[in-house]
Amino acid sequence: LKLKVKCGDEFRTVVSGISDYYAPDSLIGKTVVMICNLKPTKLCGILSEGMLLAADDGSVKLVTVDSECKDGAEVR
């Protein structure tokens, strides 16, 4: 799944293997946790500029926040 994710003041392209668990429309407006300081790499011929965090207990679940926070906030 190819996503455009807002990270602070910029948008990044992220390629993720979550298409079996999430429909693209269900991700619009979600606040997810993403690793932004990785070296960009090509996946399936597309340059991916980050990685979404998810838990896998047999069914993948994206890591989200429980209240509103600023785009690009650091994970601590």
Side-chain angles (χ1 to χ4, degrees), residues 23-30:
D25 291 346
S26 72
L27 299 172
I28 296 171
K30 281 197 182 286

Side-chain angles (χ1 to χ4, degrees), residues 22-42:
Y22 289 91
D25 291 346
S26 72
L27 299 172
I28 296 171
K30 281 197 182 286
T31 302
V32 297
V33 179
M34 181 173 112
I35 300 173
C36 295
N37 62 349
L38 299 173
K39 179 181 173 186
T41 188
K42 276 199 172 186

Side-chain angles (χ1 to χ4, degrees), residues 1-5 10-16 34 38-51:
L1 190 60
K2 178 183 170 185
L3 305 161
K4 281 283 188 192
V5 181
E10 65 181 330
F11 284 88
R12 298 210 180 183
T13 299
V14 176
V15 177
S16 181
M34 181 173 112
L38 299 173
K39 179 181 173 186
T41 188
K42 276 199 172 186
L43 298 171
C44 301
I46 301 167
L47 189 65
S48 186
E49 303 168 302
M51 180 172 52

Side-chain angles (χ1 to χ4, degrees), residues 18 22 27 30-35 51-56 60-66 75:
I18 61 171
Y22 289 91
L27 299 172
K30 281 197 182 286
T31 302
V32 297
V33 179
M34 181 173 112
I35 300 173
M51 180 172 52
L52 302 181
L53 292 184
D56 185 353
V60 172
K61 295 167 185 85
L62 285 173
V63 176
T64 61
V65 294
D66 64 355
V75 175

